[in-house]
Amino acid sequence: MEQNSPEKIQGDSVKKNLSFQFIYQVLILVLPLVLAPYLTRTLGDTALGVYSYSYSIGQIFVVLANLGISKYGQRIIAEKKGNVIELRKVYWSLFTVHAVVSAFVFAAYMVFAFACGGNDRVVFLLQGFYVLSAFFDITWFYYGIEKFNGVVIRNTIVKAAEFVLIFLFVKSPDDLWKYTLIMALSILLGMVVLLPPTFKYVKPIRFSFADCKMQISPLMVLFIASVATLLFTFFDKTLLGIFSTKENVAYYEYSNKIVLVPRTIATVISTVMYSRACVFISRNELSEAKKYRTFSLLFIYFISFASIFGLLSVGDLFVNIYYGESFLECVGIINMLSSTILIVALADVVRTQILIPMHKDKEYMIITIISAVLNVAVSMLLLGPLGVYGVVIGSILSETISLVLISLICRKQIDWKEAFVLAVPFVIIGIAMYFSVRLVTLFISDSLFTLLIEVLVGAFVYISLSAVYLLFIYKDKETIRNIIRNLLLKFRRKKK
């Protein structure tokens, strides 16, 4: 072993990783919302439609290129990071398999783009940079060794540059190729800059074909689950586009964009905790794994119930101001889809902190396929009589079934009665926030100012009551107090 190679890679703390990942997810979700009004006015619906369609095709090829490596790679890196030799062998064999597959997929995409791009061939070819980014995607390695800061800092800089370049160069529908180039290159650059620092942790090492071969089977299982998830994501809009109106497609998509923001934030905790859960379960440290799951549930309940009751209380005014009166149909859709914030986040905790760390990959694959099939079946059945709401019900039901099935498989590892009791205070606090916000509407008329007041009142009530509960009533309040003390201490030190 080289003298410069560390014997063991020490990951960053959960608090540090959670902070970085939380900030980054907020950034990548908020920037598109800020850009949306500008792009709809400069590029227009036709150009944006071409971009969205070409991007969705590119995303299919990216999923094929990634070969399920996100979950599997992160898990195996987390399990091997205590032994640098094993870690290097696993990393380079996995990287090789991924690189070979990605290269073939990239070549296939470029042939497809050239042959089937039609009048939009230039846009499809430029999306090739996005597909090529899969070749360099090694975020799974950094997440596996619990070093989130490098990924977040580099990609934040790239995202900021992307934001500026769009305002500088995208001025009309004729600039669609510029917009596509900026977006695709920023994704590629965000992946490329992560590659050189990996040599600090995993210097090249000799490995055999057998090392590569042993990675293929588990990759394929999670790959099938990834494809099922992709179909799950895209099929809703496809069904609406075929059997309903284009307006319903827009209502569903733009409602989803709003709900996606808190839903993604609520699942940040699972991304951060996944690697640590893999380590705890591989070492049979079940009490530690449970402690982190409880912390995850607290985080999820805090974010989810704030988001659900927040959307229910201000959704109508928000949609009217942000999207306009023509999109008021989104209010009912958002109210229904808001339930998925909690459902998806809970399923993600069980999936990433129990199911996959326990190597139940086949069960995960089967559950994902069942959920995808159920979503399609229910959506098609209800689409005729209920329109867009039939698809919404299909999505909610399939996500719920996924949570139930995962919970049944992992029933010995998680106490849902305890989890339910943990949620009750946040439900009560959420209801209190809802009525306090609705009270505001009795005294002032609808306007942007009213929306701001409602948000501020709701945030104040929810955060204040949550602080009282967590610091003075919650059974493990000392842990919460210690976390806050440590954060304040670090802040004071930085200030000095």
Side-chain angles (χ1 to χ4, degrees), residues 25 114 123 152 171 271 336 373 462:
Q25 289 298 331
F114 188 81
V123 174
V152 171
K171 303 293 183 182
T271 304
M336 291 179 68
V373 172
Y462 192 86

Side-chain angles (χ1 to χ4, degrees), residues 231-331:
L231 293 174
F232 185 98
T233 305
F234 282 98
F235 212 80
D236 289 343
K237 285 182 283 187
T238 304
L239 278 176
L240 284 170
I242 296 172
F243 299 108
S244 187
T245 65
K246 295 296 185 292
E247 288 80 6
N248 276 338
V249 176
Y251 296 149
Y252 185 78
E253 182 173 0
Y254 279 85
S255 298
N256 238 330
K257 282 185 177 182
I258 299 302
V259 176
L260 184 64
V261 175
R263 193 163 63 205
T264 302
I265 292 172
T267 55
V268 161
I269 191 76
S270 297
T271 304
V272 173
M273 295 294 189
Y274 175 52
S275 296
R276 192 150 298 199
C278 291
V279 173
F280 286 144
I281 289 177
S282 67
R283 295 175 181 171
N284 204 33
E285 297 175 3
L286 302 184
S287 60
E288 284 295 306
K290 184 180 178 181
K291 184 175 75 174
Y292 279 93
R293 279 201 304 275
T294 302
F295 176 77
S296 300
L297 288 174
L298 272 178
F299 180 87
I300 284 170
Y301 290 147
F302 177 79
I303 298 294
S304 297
F305 289 114
S307 305
I308 291 169
F309 287 104
L311 287 171
L312 289 174
S313 58
V314 305
D316 50 352
L317 183 55
F318 174 80
V319 169
N320 191 27
I321 291 173
Y322 190 73
Y323 285 150
E325 289 185 8
S326 60
F327 276 80
L328 284 178
E329 189 69 33
C330 290
V331 176

Side-chain angles (χ1 to χ4, degrees), residues 32 104 144 150 174 207 210 212 339 351 370 419 450:
F104 276 109
D174 293 333
F207 59 92
C212 294
S339 62
R351 185 185 303 115
I370 290 172
T450 307

Side-chain angles (χ1 to χ4, degrees), residues 405-424:
L405 292 176
I406 292 171
S407 301
L408 286 173
I409 291 173
C410 303
R411 61 188 178 277
K412 293 181 180 179
Q413 286 78 31
I414 190 165
D415 185 350
W416 279 113
K417 183 180 178 181
E418 182 183 325
F420 175 79
V421 171
L422 202 63
V424 171

Side-chain angles (χ1 to χ4, degrees), residues 428-446:
I428 296 170
I429 293 169
I431 293 172
M433 176 187 70
Y434 173 82
F435 283 109
S436 66
V437 171
R438 300 311 295 179
L439 194 63
V440 172
T441 62
L442 298 177
F443 300 100
I444 48 180
S445 58
D446 290 352

Side-chain angles (χ1 to χ4, degrees), residues 54 57-58 61 105-113 124-125 127-128 131:
S54 64
I57 298 297
F61 281 85
V105 171
F106 173 69
Y109 174 80
M110 295 306 288
V111 171
F112 166 83
F124 275 88
L125 288 172
Q127 290 287 12
V131 177

Side-chain angles (χ1 to χ4, degrees), residues 146-256:
E146 296 186 272
K147 294 284 185 182
F148 285 68
N149 59 338
V151 177
V152 171
I153 291 171
R154 288 172 175 81
N155 279 288
T156 299
I157 294 170
V158 172
K159 281 290 175 187
E162 170 194 300
F163 188 77
V164 173
L165 289 171
I166 287 171
F167 278 108
L168 286 176
F169 296 105
V170 179
K171 303 293 183 182
S172 72
D174 293 333
D175 294 328
L176 174 60
W177 71 271
K178 295 178 185 177
Y179 176 66
T180 307
L181 181 63
I182 292 168
M183 296 296 288
L185 276 180
S186 67
I187 297 171
L188 175 60
L189 184 60
M191 297 302 176
V192 170
V193 295
L194 293 174
L195 194 56
T198 57
F199 290 97
K200 172 184 174 184
Y201 304 105
V202 281
K203 297 182 185 300
I205 191 172
R206 182 176 294 177
F207 59 92
S208 65
F209 176 74
D211 293 319
C212 294
K213 191 176 178 181
M214 67 184 298
Q215 311 293 351
I216 295 174
S217 179
L219 275 173
M220 287 304 298
V221 173
L222 291 174
F223 167 69
I224 294 170
S226 299
V227 172
T229 303
L230 182 71
L231 293 174
F232 185 98
T233 305
F234 282 98
F235 212 80
D236 289 343
K237 285 182 283 187
T238 304
L239 278 176
L240 284 170
I242 296 172
F243 299 108
S244 187
T245 65
K246 295 296 185 292
E247 288 80 6
N248 276 338
V249 176
Y251 296 149
Y252 185 78
E253 182 173 0
Y254 279 85
S255 298
N256 238 330

